[in-house]
Amino acid sequence: MWQQSWQAGNRKPLLQALTNNPDVEWDVVVAGGGITGAGIAREAARRGLKVLLVERQDFAWGTSSRSSKMVHGGLRYIASGDIKTTMHSVSERERLMREAPGLVDPMGYLMAHYKGAFPGPLVFNLLLRIYDFFAGKRYRKVHQSHDIANLSPLINDHNLLGATQFADAITDDSRLVIRVLREARKEGATVMNYVGVDALIKNHGRVTGAELKDAETGQVIPVKAKVVINATGAWGDELRGEMTSEQRIRPARGSHIVVPGWRLPVAQAYTVMHPDDQRPVFIFPWEGRTVVGTTDLDNGTIGNHEVAMTREELEYLMKAVCFQFPKAGLTEQDIIASWAGVRPLVSSGALNPSKEKRDHSIWNDNGLVTVSGGKLTTFRLIALDVLKAAEAYLPGVDFSDTGADMFTQYEPASGLFKKLPDYLQKRIRGHYGMDADHLLAQIRPGEQDVIPGARALWAELRWSAGNEAVVHLDDLLLRRTRLGLLLEQGGLIFADRIEAICREELGWSEQKWQQEVARYQSIWNTFYSIPK
């Protein structure tokens, strides 16, 4: 009854099943469909628990689709003395690259060293020795100034001493969330988007369930639970406010811009110390484009809506580009799209959000367990910590780290898969895992082609529309595929072809399509374009 697929049309029967079975008690109700909630659902479900995960917007709608896409070990934490965080992060980075190649892949980083600037090559290479030690392999490499012209002919060469190359990893963050949720569903978890925890149900002060609200219809459905886990990240204080007046989360905004790869060609990520404040800004290749980010600013209170980059942030990022690559002559007219996300920092009272710690915190409030903070890279470890904090409500369950793989290892058997170029085989295997053969089985003529300006196949767009819980057009273009970030007009330069797929897979009428386009254009123009 609860194991519904994500195919179009299956959302309504699942809501009806929840309505018709009010006496069913879930072991765990997870509020929040980002990477933290997905990891919790995955680890709980694999231990045989009855898990319901709900997300009041779309999966990965918040921070988990708007990060800097980096799966990194936290090099800067070594400098601050937080060796433990770095050690765990590097270990998890290596695990993810090993388990999910094509979704989490190594990426080279380059730090240029300038006369009189921090960090100098000696200090930086000392940190990298420790970094590589944790990884169990040597990634670092030193380049002399005369070598840099071949690596990066557009780089600022004034007072350039040389550069140090090292390594971390890159991912598609929202696809990572979808893949983890798919693993949770395989283990028996029930997972729904556009359904949120609207209120907690309490008995003598103890949380015993939640009132769920369907964002599409407004219907409220009560459910029982042994424990409710609040994994809503930057929005965590909102639900926790029903149990305590304590406010601990400090939302910090990070913004990015996307430009064509040919206008700012980089083969690896560049770590740029911003000339204004010496904060690190990254310029890196992603999905065939070049991304510049991020900022780090207090965002203040946040509601149930997206955030946008400000004009000041745009100018800040452009200044970083012009400092590191003055010969590129990049202008605002080159920008394809932008995005801004809100990090859930746990406040310690630091004046600058960049000084707040990035580790996660957990609070246990009589049946409500809340988690916030932490890094994308360590989501698996965070999930286990949260479940250990909930042990009192789930007696007899072992939440120790067994070291089991996060992802099912699956080798597609389709003949079409074997005909794809190696780089597309790696992409399909990494992004879709156990669903790869099913995706390829649905290919129509011409859909094995790569979408111009992106890295995805047209077949991926069709698969996602019909099989990945797409409710709105922005789900498809901004999170299941990333066309809204990679293509002009948010991807609507291909509106006719996208419309044909959506009408076939989602059953949309002409009127529904027009409504979705209007909704999408409003969202994209407000939150993903260039601030005027």
Side-chain angles (χ1 to χ4, degrees):
M1 173 173 62
W2 305 112
Q3 268 301 88
Q4 298 284 336
S5 76
W6 277 351
Q7 289 181 331
N10 281 341
R11 189 171 181 277
K12 188 174 180 180
L14 184 51
L15 286 168
Q16 192 62 51
L18 287 170
T19 303
N20 293 343
N21 295 273
D23 293 327
V24 170
E25 184 179 46
W26 299 85
D27 293 319
V28 180
V29 169
V30 181
I35 191 60
T36 301
I40 293 166
R42 167 67 166 127
E43 292 297 339
R46 80 152 92 220
R47 287 164 172 81
L49 294 174
K50 190 177 183 64
V51 179
L52 171 64
L53 179 146
V54 292
E55 163 57 56
R56 68 181 179 180
Q57 294 280 355
D58 185 30
F59 303 127
W61 173 88
T63 311
S64 295
S65 63
R66 291 178 265 178
S67 75
S68 293
K69 322 303 179 199
M70 294 179 181
V71 178
H72 62 85
L75 179 60
R76 69 178 185 146
Y77 305 134
I78 299 176
S80 63
D82 191 354
I83 301 297
K84 182 179 177 182
T85 297
T86 304
M87 185 169 61
H88 287 164
S89 299
V90 170
S91 176
E92 290 301 298
R93 180 196 71 191
E94 296 295 309
R95 167 192 279 269
L96 286 166
M97 288 193 293
R98 184 174 64 251
E99 286 190 30
L103 178 59
V104 182
D105 289 311
M107 182 168 68
Y109 284 66
L110 200 75
M111 167 71 82
H113 302 296
Y114 293 92
K115 185 177 180 180
F118 181 83
L122 291 177
V123 172
F124 196 66
N125 276 276
L126 178 61
L127 294 176
L128 288 177
R129 282 179 180 272
I130 303 172
Y131 208 45
D132 285 352
F133 174 76
F134 290 151
K137 58 185 76 172
R138 177 170 177 161
Y139 289 113
R140 68 188 185 281
K141 183 178 180 181
V142 176
H143 297 282
Q144 302 303 318
S145 58
H146 55 78
D147 296 326
I148 305 302
N150 293 325
L151 283 171
S152 183
L154 299 178
I155 200 168
N156 179 1
D157 55 10
H158 180 65
N159 287 331
L160 181 65
L161 298 175
T164 304
Q165 186 173 345
F166 60 106
D168 264 314
I170 191 82
T171 191
D172 181 332
D173 48 1
S174 66
R175 288 303 322 173
L176 181 63
V177 172
I178 294 297
R179 179 111 191 251
V180 176
L181 288 173
R182 181 67 181 91
E183 296 289 343
R185 288 178 53 233
K186 174 177 174 285
E187 298 287 354
T190 299
V191 177
M192 296 197 70
N193 54 350
Y194 293 100
V195 176
V197 173
D198 193 51
L200 298 172
I201 298 172
K202 289 171 274 189
N203 185 7
H204 301 295
R206 159 79 159 86
V207 174
T208 57
E211 290 185 353
L212 309 182
K213 185 174 183 178
D214 179 3
E216 297 299 294
T217 66
Q219 179 188 5
V220 175
I221 306 170
V223 296
K224 295 179 179 179
K226 294 177 181 175
V227 62
V228 175
I229 295 178
N230 176 13
T232 55
W235 293 263
D237 279 340
E238 184 179 322
L239 186 57
R240 190 172 179 241
E242 294 194 31
M243 302 297 290
T244 177
S245 60
E246 182 182 46
Q247 300 283 305
R248 292 297 307 277
I249 299 168
R250 180 179 185 173
R253 187 175 64 255
S255 297
H256 307 74
I257 55 175
V258 183
V259 300
W262 64 270
R263 281 295 289 118
L264 188 58
V266 291
Q268 57 195 321
Y270 286 77
T271 304
V272 183
M273 304 309 288
H274 199 283
D276 286 353
D277 57 9
Q278 295 302 298
R279 271 192 67 257
V281 173
F282 297 100
I283 301 172
F284 59 97
W286 183 69
E287 293 289 307
R289 303 299 193 185
T290 298
V291 176
V292 183
T294 179
T295 57
D296 198 5
L297 299 169
D298 281 316
N299 194 77
T301 57
I302 51 175
N304 188 20
H305 53 75
E306 302 200 41
V307 296
M309 179 175 66
T310 64
R311 182 73 201 174
E312 291 73 21
E313 288 174 285
L314 171 60
E315 292 171 356
Y316 177 89
L317 294 176
M318 288 296 293
K319 189 169 184 177
V321 175
C322 292
F323 168 76
Q324 188 70 81
F325 297 106
K327 301 171 191 175
L330 199 73
T331 69
E332 289 182 26
Q333 285 66 44
D334 293 311
I335 299 173
I336 297 170
S338 71
W339 79 77
V342 180
R343 303 182 193 90
L345 303 182
V346 179
S347 179
S348 66
L351 292 177
N352 189 327
S354 294
K355 302 299 182 184
E356 297 284 14
K357 72 183 184 76
R358 260 50 178 182
D359 200 5
H360 62 282
S361 294
I362 299 170
W363 300 274
N364 189 340
D365 297 302
N366 209 11
L368 176 72
V369 176
T370 300
V371 58
S372 195
K375 292 156 43 43
L376 173 74
T377 311
T378 55
F379 75 90
R380 186 186 70 91
L381 299 180
I382 294 171
L384 292 173
D385 283 350
V386 172
L387 290 169
K388 287 171 188 173
E391 277 181 326
Y393 312 110
L394 304 164
V397 184
D398 182 7
F399 294 116
S400 59
D401 187 355
T402 63
D405 285 357
M406 175 59 62
F407 301 108
T408 302
Q409 299 306 305
Y410 181 84
E411 184 60 30
S414 162
L416 179 55
F417 177 82
K418 294 176 173 28
K419 294 178 182 177
L420 293 173
D422 288 347
Y423 76 96
L424 284 178
Q425 287 188 17
K426 185 177 181 182
R427 175 188 174 87
I428 296 297
R429 186 190 297 112
H431 280 57
Y432 300 96
M434 69 185 85
D435 290 324
D437 279 333
H438 300 299
L439 182 156
L440 294 171
Q442 294 187 9
I443 280 188
R444 308 283 182 87
E447 291 185 350
Q448 71 271 30
D449 296 337
V450 175
I451 300 170
R455 291 285 175 85
L457 306 179
W458 285 107
E460 294 179 57
L461 194 79
R462 179 177 296 280
W463 170 262
S464 293
N467 299 278
E468 291 187 338
V470 166
V471 175
H472 293 292
L473 185 58
D474 49 293
D475 305 338
L476 181 63
L477 298 185
L478 291 173
R479 288 173 290 278
R480 301 303 182 277
T481 68
R482 311 316 291 271
L483 302 187
L485 302 179
L486 302 171
L487 304 182
E488 291 76 8
Q489 301 174 35
L492 292 181
I493 54 172
F494 298 117
D496 290 348
R497 194 158 182 183
I498 295 169
E499 178 186 3
I501 289 173
C502 288
R503 293 185 67 175
E504 290 173 13
E505 297 298 328
L506 293 163
W508 288 353
S509 64
E510 169 68 20
Q511 181 183 17
K512 174 66 173 174
W513 166 254
Q514 294 299 335
Q515 290 172 345
E516 287 294 331
V517 168
R519 169 193 158 101
Y520 177 66
Q521 287 178 320
S522 175
I523 291 170
W524 194 88
N525 289 330
T526 304
F527 301 110
Y528 294 90
S529 63
I530 307 166
K532 306 300 181 186

